[in-house]
Amino acid sequence: MKQWIYTLFSIFFAIFLYAQDSDSLNDNNKTSDDKNISTVNLEQIKSLDIKLSLINKELQDDIWTRKYSNYITYHKLLTELNKIEKKIKRAKKYKKYRKNLDDLIEQKKIIESQLSLLKDYKESPFSELLKPEEIPEPPSVTNPVAIIEAFSYIKQVNSKSSYYKNMLEEIKRVLTLLKEKKRLMEEKYKLLKTPELQKELKVLTSEIEDFASAVKTAEKTINVYEKRVEEVVFKVTEDIKRQTEKAGEIFAIVLVLLILNLMIKWAIRRYIKDSERFYMANKAINFTFATVVIFILLFAYLENVSYIVTILGFASAGIAIAMKDMFMSILGWTVIVFGGSIHVGDRIKVKKEGLVYVGDVVDISLLRITILEDVTLTSYLENRRSGRIIFVPNNYIFTDLIANYTHAGLKTVWDGIDINITFDSNHKKAAHIAKEVARKYAKGYIDITRKQLNRLRSSYHLKNTNVDTRVYTFIEEYGIRVSVWYMTNSYATLTLRSTISAEIIEAYMREDDIKIAYPTQTIALTKDNKSIINSPKIEEGQNS
């Protein structure tokens, strides 16, 4: 029995010694391997770490790796949240798990807060590249102004296309860096076969697969997008080309019309010496030119012209009523310009609702006549003011009196002065004196008027062309009225009237048998010192 125990003890002791020797041998072998790594591959591992550090730094600064990292983090947190929600549900259901319920709820709040911060990364980080924005509808290039919008559109879509191509190139660059990183890590794993490296390689491989799949899909998507962009740009470019050619043709037509307009003006200037007539002709030509150009542009660029004409046809009655005065003024302008009744520079007299204005026409526009009021006999007798700018609507030519003092080249008008003399005056001498004085100052205007009337015989039927100074005597209630009429300048009637009036008065004052009548009273006294007052009214000489 003792022998058996001794033998068993010896066996255990031998096994123990063998185990110690084996462990010592393994430790020696391990130490030998470490020494072998540190001496042979240390420099190679350091070189790989340096390269990996540079790649990691470059990837860290890239937007795509950041997006992908946040995307992975978001979904990891989402998975963890689902697990915690299951644990919370179980804890609420079974009492033995309720001791951790508060911790689980707190963890859930933290994860939900983190998810809310990363909610923008819920979708795939490559969705922007895999699903590009829809190409905007191209503009309709129907006029030269739309060409600017078309160029802006082309720039916009080309810029978007370049943006997607740049993004694709950036992802390809990141994919290249990830593949290079994997190669370096595989070399390092061959030297250091650690679980950590194996795990990192597995994660990196999955990341490379995601990036490679995104690049493959994005290349097809971007290729289709570029073809669509090219098609749209080609269409818009063709529209721009077509509108440019059309605008060039219209410009050439307008240029020809402008040259023709200038030639007509030159011809009119050469054959029409009267500046006022040339002014009106020039305005008529300009208006015609502008109207033709407007119609050319309307029919060239306005779409559905026939539709608009139809609408205007139905609306013409209402428009005619609402804009009656404007249409009448335009029609009046046509009558004035082409009828030749009034020209710029003419002196006219306008009467409206009892008010009378006399002045010179300074402009005739499409809607109104503009006159500058002058100091005239009308100003003296009625208005007692002058110098105003008067705007007369052209439609007044159909409804109100407009008198032209200088129509058809006439520059003179008749003017008359009335002087009252007493019944016992020598009325024949008074009439002779008045006529001679008026003839003296009006002689030049008489000759001018005679020539002008002779020229008008071809256009008007003139019966009486006698323009000599005329004098008339009339019996009035309390005296004799001497009325002398003479030709005077249409633009300066008051000047000659004042001169002739003063000259006649001085001549009458020198004559003993001519007495100017003025209001008087006769008082007769009787013996009873009663007065009989007779107050005859003798009209004072009036100027007209």
Side-chain angles (χ1 to χ4, degrees):
M1 184 68 178
K2 291 182 178 179
Q3 184 66 31
W4 181 81
I5 294 172
Y6 178 75
T7 303
L8 185 61
F9 177 79
S10 299
I11 292 171
F12 277 110
F13 182 76
I15 292 172
F16 174 77
L17 290 177
Y18 177 77
Q20 289 290 331
D21 291 339
S22 178
D23 291 340
S24 176
L25 181 61
N26 289 334
D27 290 341
N28 289 335
N29 289 335
K30 185 176 180 181
T31 303
S32 177
D33 290 340
D34 291 341
K35 289 181 180 179
N36 193 29
I37 290 172
S38 61
T39 55
V40 177
N41 298 324
L42 184 61
E43 293 298 326
Q44 187 176 357
I45 292 172
K46 287 183 178 179
S47 175
L48 290 172
D49 286 339
I50 291 172
K51 292 179 181 178
L52 286 170
S53 176
L54 293 174
I55 291 176
N56 288 333
K57 184 177 180 181
E58 191 170 354
L59 288 173
Q60 186 178 1
D61 295 334
D62 187 80
I63 186 66
W64 289 109
T65 53
R66 289 183 183 180
K67 286 184 176 182
Y68 183 81
S69 176
N70 291 333
Y71 169 75
I72 297 298
T73 303
Y74 179 87
H75 284 276
K76 283 182 178 178
L77 290 172
L78 192 62
T79 303
E80 187 175 351
L81 179 64
N82 291 331
K83 291 180 180 178
I84 291 175
E85 286 178 345
K86 289 179 181 180
K87 290 180 180 179
I88 291 174
K89 187 176 182 181
R90 185 179 61 180
K92 289 180 178 180
K93 187 175 182 181
Y94 302 103
K95 291 183 179 180
K96 62 179 181 178
Y97 299 112
R98 286 181 184 175
K99 61 180 180 179
N100 297 326
L101 182 59
D102 293 338
D103 293 338
L104 291 172
I105 293 174
E106 187 64 28
Q107 290 178 18
K108 180 183 176 182
K109 290 180 179 179
I110 294 172
I111 293 175
E112 286 177 345
S113 175
Q114 292 174 344
L115 285 172
S116 65
L117 294 174
L118 296 172
K119 63 182 179 180
D120 294 337
Y121 302 97
K122 180 179 180 180
E123 302 295 334
S124 171
F126 312 110
S127 58
E128 182 181 5
L129 191 61
L130 300 179
K131 295 180 180 179
E133 295 179 1
E134 289 294 329
I135 299 175
E137 192 69 23
S140 179
V141 186
T142 57
N143 55 74
V145 178
I147 293 177
I148 300 174
E149 183 183 357
F151 278 119
S152 176
Y153 174 82
I154 292 174
K155 183 179 179 181
Q156 177 187 354
V157 295
N158 284 335
S159 175
K160 205 65 178 179
S161 178
S162 299
Y163 170 72
Y164 288 128
K165 285 194 289 186
N166 292 336
M167 284 201 303
L168 180 60
E169 293 300 322
E170 181 62 21
I171 290 182
K172 287 182 178 180
R173 188 184 70 84
V174 172
L175 180 60
T176 303
L177 290 174
L178 290 174
K179 289 180 178 179
E180 179 64 16
K181 180 180 178 180
K182 181 180 179 183
R183 185 186 68 79
L184 295 174
M185 288 183 67
E186 286 175 344
E187 290 183 8
K188 185 177 179 180
Y189 182 72
K190 290 178 181 178
L191 300 174
L192 294 173
K193 294 187 177 181
T194 61
E196 291 80 6
L197 277 175
Q198 188 177 11
K199 186 177 180 180
E200 288 183 17
L201 275 171
K202 184 178 179 180
V203 173
L204 181 60
T205 301
S206 176
E207 185 175 356
I208 289 173
E209 289 176 355
D210 290 341
F211 270 85
S213 176
V215 167
K216 186 177 179 180
T217 306
E219 284 180 338
K220 295 179 180 179
T221 304
I222 299 302
N223 186 32
V224 173
Y225 187 85
E226 287 181 350
K227 289 182 179 179
R228 290 175 59 194
V229 168
E230 290 176 359
E231 181 181 353
V232 171
V233 169
F234 176 77
K235 179 180 178 300
V236 175
T237 304
E238 286 297 314
D239 290 343
I240 292 174
K241 181 180 178 182
R242 185 164 52 254
Q243 284 301 320
T244 303
E245 293 175 353
K246 184 177 180 180
E249 293 174 357
I250 293 174
F251 176 78
I253 293 172
V254 173
L255 184 62
V256 170
L257 290 175
L258 179 61
I259 295 173
L260 182 63
N261 180 39
L262 295 175
M263 291 176 64
I264 293 174
K265 286 184 179 181
W266 175 80
I268 290 175
R269 186 62 178 172
R270 185 173 180 181
Y271 293 105
I272 298 179
K273 302 301 181 181
D274 190 349
S275 58
E276 288 83 2
R277 291 182 178 275
F278 172 75
Y279 175 83
M280 291 303 301
N282 185 59
K283 291 201 70 172
I285 292 169
N286 289 338
F287 176 77
T288 304
F289 171 74
T291 303
V292 171
V293 171
I294 290 172
F295 272 104
I296 289 174
L297 295 176
L298 283 177
F299 282 97
Y301 292 112
L302 195 63
E303 298 180 358
N304 296 326
V305 176
S306 59
Y307 175 75
I308 293 176
V309 170
T310 304
I311 294 297
L312 289 177
F314 285 111
S316 59
I319 294 174
I321 295 172
M323 305 180 69
K324 178 185 67 174
D325 291 338
M326 181 177 290
F327 285 137
M328 290 298 292
S329 291
I330 295 174
L331 182 60
W333 177 85
T334 306
V335 172
I336 291 170
V337 171
F338 294 100
S341 56
I342 300 174
H343 300 87
V344 171
D346 286 349
R347 170 154 292 190
I348 65 173
K349 180 179 183 180
V350 181
K351 189 173 183 180
K352 176 68 175 177
E353 297 178 357
L355 300 177
V356 182
Y357 304 96
V358 177
D360 301 329
V361 177
V362 295
D363 183 51
I364 301 177
S365 64
L366 194 63
L367 299 177
R368 59 181 176 238
I369 303 170
T370 305
I371 64 175
L372 175 61
E373 193 178 21
D374 197 5
V375 179
T376 62
L377 186 60
T378 302
S379 305
Y380 168 67
L381 295 178
E382 300 186 35
N383 296 335
R384 298 305 297 177
R385 62 177 54 87
S386 188
R388 296 170 293 185
I389 299 293
I390 309 298
F391 298 101
V392 183
N394 291 336
N395 62 346
Y396 278 23
I397 197 170
F398 301 117
T399 58
D400 294 277
L401 176 63
I402 299 179
N404 192 340
Y405 287 66
T406 54
H407 177 64
L410 291 173
K411 303 299 181 183
T412 56
V413 292
W414 286 97
D415 191 20
I417 301 174
D418 294 338
I419 304 174
N420 291 334
I421 60 175
T422 60
F423 285 112
D424 56 354
S425 299
N426 188 345
H427 64 88
K428 291 185 179 180
K429 182 189 290 188
H432 177 74
I433 292 172
K435 186 174 183 179
E436 291 300 319
V437 171
R439 181 181 291 168
K440 171 185 174 184
Y441 288 99
K443 185 177 184 306
Y445 299 114
I446 293 172
D447 297 336
I448 293 173
T449 306
R450 187 175 286 112
K451 293 178 181 178
Q452 292 170 340
L453 291 177
N454 287 332
R455 287 200 299 268
L456 290 177
R457 286 183 179 275
S458 59
S459 301
Y460 297 94
H461 178 64
L462 302 176
K463 289 184 177 181
N464 184 9
T465 57
N466 180 20
V467 292
D468 289 332
T469 302
R470 304 173 188 178
V471 63
Y472 305 96
T473 56
F474 304 101
I475 299 175
E476 298 296 336
E477 188 175 359
Y478 299 105
I480 299 174
R481 178 171 296 175
V482 178
S483 180
V484 59
W485 293 81
Y486 54 90
M487 301 304 300
T488 184
N489 187 353
S490 301
Y491 299 95
T493 56
L494 283 184
T495 302
L496 188 58
R497 183 185 185 89
S498 176
T499 302
I500 293 175
S501 297
E503 189 76 18
I504 290 175
I505 291 173
E506 290 179 1
Y508 283 178
M509 295 292 289
R510 290 194 295 265
E511 303 295 332
D512 295 332
D513 54 351
I514 299 175
K515 296 178 181 179
I516 298 175
Y518 50 88
T520 60
Q521 289 183 340
T522 302
I523 301 175
L525 297 178
T526 65
K527 294 180 180 181
D528 296 331
N529 293 327
K530 294 181 179 179
S531 61
I532 301 174
I533 301 176
N534 184 16
S535 302
K537 296 180 180 179
I538 299 177
E539 291 188 1
E540 189 179 7
Q542 294 182 354
N543 295 330
S544 59

